[in-house]
Amino acid sequence: MAEIYLFNSLTRKKEVFTPIASPEVGIYACGPTVYDFSHIGHMRRYVGDDILRNTLKLKGYKIKYVMNITDVGHLSSDADTGEDKIEKAAKKSGKSAWDIAKFFENDFFSSAKALNIAKPDIVCKATEHIKEQIEMIQEIEKNGFTYKTEDGIYFDTSKLYDYGKLSGGKEGIRPGARIDVAGKRHPTDFALWKFSPKDSKRQMEWESPWGTGFPGWHIECSAMSRKYLGEVFDIHTGGVDHIAIHHTNEIAQSEGATGKEPVRLWIHHEFLQIDGGKMAKSLGNTYRLHDVVKKGFDPLALRYLFLTAHYKDPLNFTWDSLGAAQTSLEKLRLQVLTLKEQEKRSALSTEKNEKIETYREDFTSALYDDLNTPKALAIFWEMLKSNIPSPDKYDLAISFDEALGLGLKEAVVEKVKVPGKVQKLIDERERLREQGKFEEADKVRKEIEEEGFVLEDTPDGSKVKPQ
Ligand code: AMP
Ligand code: ZN
């Protein structure tokens, strides 16, 4: 059977994917920092991981998918300055830092569920793995990669000859890259452990061999990925924003502790954009799933929209594009339901059998080729238009959807709506007919057909079904 090819950010090449211990595949995903509501940009990134998992399952692999929850230590600058995002949100709302983290973690998983994103096999929180993080810092210290400042324990990036290999030399470049913390030796050095400021009223702080404080943002991922997946594991995923700092530092920490390159294959998802620019919590230009639902859209229309772009291409979000995705999803649901209700299975000719196999192979090959979901969707539509018998089309549709996750099997008649635009045309045609304007009514019928629906006039009025 065909191989799976995935683009590895570390080698900057598409590579054949071979697990370390087939059929098991270990994946670590950087999870959300839970200080605010999740937005639809986050959802794009985790739908991408969901497609990755489903594709690997198609090949028969058994996945262990681990996701962290950052509930401490992520400072507002992404580096080592600024306030802890969760402590800041707690202060603002008058709630405890723990309550803030739990509330927004729940919000994240409820949005993910509505988008059919499978729950991780393991969800691990930074605050519940302080011991593991301290132990790892001690190993890094023992190997001579750390130094102490007034502010905390730092990683000396100059001691790793290939620090920055993930970003191709663009590591740690951030606006005005400079030494922003007193005593820091190089701009790219980063905190492993931060001391609680003397006058601080931090809610989240722990004792450590170096003093009371809290872990730096990056160490949680190195410590928890090692705990749950081992020193070297198959795949690590994240958004492209993590390449230059967070993931570069994760590699440095793991290598500093174990001397081993921790991850075989790095996958980075491109951003969901808005007005052609970044959509981010910190920029305040985000939409939540809540906004999508409030406007009458189905959360799975958003999933459909995400699948129309390759995960390595930026996708610009507009309400119009979401509307078009919803129309396509509704058509797809109607077609699949109609197939389900159609003729009984009959004997297949060799030619039709071959055609079914070709569609199956083409669909799988699209996903095996670095998760090419736009191509997989195109093959799906082509298959639906083909002349293979309905029951076989239905079976193929359901098996394709096991990878795409659009909930087609669960779609029930009540859930299937005629797209708004088509419904308007139906009403318009009824009105024209009532007024005896049959020629104009016929023109509208043609427009309905161009939208992919056929009209049937019944004693109960006009009904449509997909072509
Ligand atoms: P955060 O909670 O900001 O740390 O983000 C959680 C994950 O979502 C990270 O892997 C980010 O790279 C990713 N992410 C954040 N914003 C976007 C966006 N607009 N589009 C896609 N992914 C994003
Ligand atoms: Zn991480």
Side-chain angles (χ1 to χ4, degrees):
M1 207 186 177
E3 307 281 4
I4 295 184
Y5 285 80
L6 294 170
F7 186 87
N8 187 351
S9 314
L10 188 61
T11 57
R12 283 169 269 282
K13 277 201 300 263
K14 235 194 252 183
E15 293 174 0
V16 174
F17 172 68
T18 12
I20 299 167
S22 184
E24 317 282 326
V25 176
I27 307 177
Y28 184 89
C30 284
T33 304
V34 283
Y35 70 102
D36 201 349
F37 291 106
S38 300
H39 58 68
I40 56 176
H42 296 128
M43 293 301 128
R44 178 184 188 203
R45 177 243 174 289
Y46 295 106
V47 164
D49 269 14
D50 204 51
I51 295 291
L52 167 69
R53 285 188 274 170
N54 292 347
T55 302
L56 293 169
K57 277 191 209 148
L58 266 186
K59 178 117 176 125
Y61 292 134
K62 294 192 169 52
I63 320 296
K64 183 170 174 189
Y65 182 82
V66 180
M67 185 194 285
N68 72 303
I69 297 289
T70 298
D71 53 358
V72 69
H74 193 169
L75 305 189
S76 49
S77 69
D78 255 18
D80 299 312
T81 57
E83 248 182 293
D84 186 315
K85 293 184 179 191
I86 287 150
E87 295 267 348
K88 189 174 168 189
K91 223 187 274 172
K92 209 168 135 194
S93 66
K95 297 205 171 69
S96 85
W98 309 92
D99 288 346
I100 289 288
K102 190 68 213 159
F103 178 83
F104 290 117
E105 181 192 337
N106 289 344
D107 165 72
F108 170 77
F109 282 118
S110 88
S111 295
K113 188 171 176 209
L115 280 161
N116 272 351
I117 299 168
K119 195 111 202 230
D121 301 292
I122 294 175
V123 176
C124 44
K125 291 185 199 155
T127 52
E128 290 174 2
H129 294 78
I130 300 296
K131 184 173 135 283
E132 288 83 351
Q133 296 178 71
I134 291 177
E135 278 166 10
M136 196 170 210
I137 300 169
Q138 285 176 307
E139 288 167 57
I140 301 170
E141 185 177 47
K142 212 170 99 216
N143 291 336
F145 288 99
T146 65
Y147 61 91
K148 189 173 172 180
T149 72
E150 273 182 18
D151 170 79
I153 303 299
Y154 277 77
F155 191 104
D156 186 342
T157 53
S158 71
K159 296 217 167 140
L160 269 184
Y161 77 96
D162 57 357
Y163 177 80
K165 60 188 160 192
L166 183 65
S167 65
K170 293 190 220 76
E171 73 286 352
I173 294 187
R174 36 194 176 243
R178 64 197 150 81
I179 297 189
D180 40 17
V181 174
K184 199 161 126 174
R185 293 182 189 159
H186 315 97
T188 49
D189 292 355
F190 57 91
L192 295 164
W193 187 263
K194 294 267 288 185
F195 301 135
S196 293
K198 292 207 172 41
D199 54 347
S200 94
K201 295 189 187 67
R202 279 191 67 91
Q203 298 180 37
M204 292 174 157
E205 57 180 12
W206 295 264
E207 293 307 311
S208 83
W210 313 280
T212 307
F214 57 100
W217 171 35
H218 318 295
I219 191 73
E220 64 180 87
C221 289
S222 293
M224 295 194 286
S225 63
R226 176 169 76 168
K227 172 166 178 171
Y228 295 107
L229 296 171
E231 285 182 350
V232 181
F233 58 94
D234 293 302
I235 302 178
H236 194 314
T237 70
V240 281
D241 57 328
H242 286 342
I243 298 174
I245 302 177
H246 183 52
H247 290 164
T248 289
N249 292 347
E250 266 189 62
I251 295 176
Q253 293 166 152
S254 299
E255 291 187 353
T258 69
K260 293 178 194 158
E261 175 117 31
V263 177
R264 297 268 294 261
L265 198 136
W266 286 89
I267 290 184
H268 288 101
H269 300 273
E270 259 299 342
F271 264 40
L272 183 68
Q273 301 186 329
I274 187 139
D275 302 327
K278 188 174 166 179
M279 175 188 287
K281 282 188 282 200
S282 52
L283 297 176
N285 62 357
T286 59
Y287 290 118
R288 292 161 50 196
L289 188 63
H290 173 80
D291 303 313
V292 166
V293 173
K294 220 166 67 189
K295 279 196 181 251
F297 292 102
D298 185 324
L300 291 176
L302 194 58
R303 183 167 174 122
Y304 189 100
L305 175 65
F306 295 159
L307 301 187
T308 61
H310 189 262
Y311 79 93
K312 281 184 64 57
D313 290 327
L315 172 66
N316 194 40
F317 176 81
T318 63
W319 290 107
D320 281 350
S321 60
L322 183 59
Q326 173 124 344
T327 304
S328 301
L329 177 63
E330 281 162 2
K331 267 192 210 170
L332 199 58
R333 280 181 178 152
L334 262 174
Q335 294 218 11
V336 171
L337 273 174
T338 313
L339 287 172
K340 196 176 177 182
E341 286 156 10
Q342 273 171 10
E343 74 211 57
K344 296 272 165 292
R345 198 173 298 275
S346 56
L348 280 178
S349 65
T350 321
E351 183 231 325
K352 287 200 172 139
N353 247 331
E354 274 170 13
K355 224 171 185 174
I356 292 169
E357 273 327 297
T358 308
Y359 279 122
R360 197 187 291 284
E361 274 165 30
D362 288 353
F363 180 85
T364 311
S365 305
L367 290 180
Y368 281 13
D369 183 11
D370 200 26
L371 317 175
N372 193 336
T373 51
K375 192 164 172 197
L377 273 180
I379 292 164
F380 199 152
W381 282 108
E382 206 187 295
M383 182 279 285
L384 289 173
K385 280 196 219 115
S386 75
N387 66 352
I388 58 175
S390 301
D392 301 284
K393 266 191 201 172
Y394 177 76
D395 290 349
L396 272 180
I398 297 303
S399 85
F400 288 179
D401 198 42
E402 273 171 30
L404 299 181
L406 295 168
L408 297 178
K409 202 172 178 181
E410 296 79 40
V412 284
V413 184
E414 305 90 77
K415 252 195 130 177
V416 175
K417 282 190 276 163
V418 173
K421 186 174 173 192
V422 176
Q423 190 56 54
K424 271 198 199 131
L425 290 171
I426 298 170
D427 298 342
E428 162 85 351
R429 180 171 168 272
E430 280 292 290
R431 200 174 48 76
L432 291 168
R433 273 158 51 96
E434 274 163 23
Q435 292 169 359
K437 297 180 178 166
F438 295 109
E439 240 174 69
E440 286 174 55
D442 252 6
K443 273 192 203 143
V444 178
R445 171 195 280 271
K446 287 214 176 70
E447 281 182 55
I448 294 171
E449 284 168 1
E450 276 160 23
E451 289 296 315
F453 289 86
V454 277
L455 265 174
E456 273 175 9
D457 292 319
T458 73
D460 303 332
S462 300
K463 295 221 164 113
V464 285
K465 61 176 193 187
Q467 277 168 346

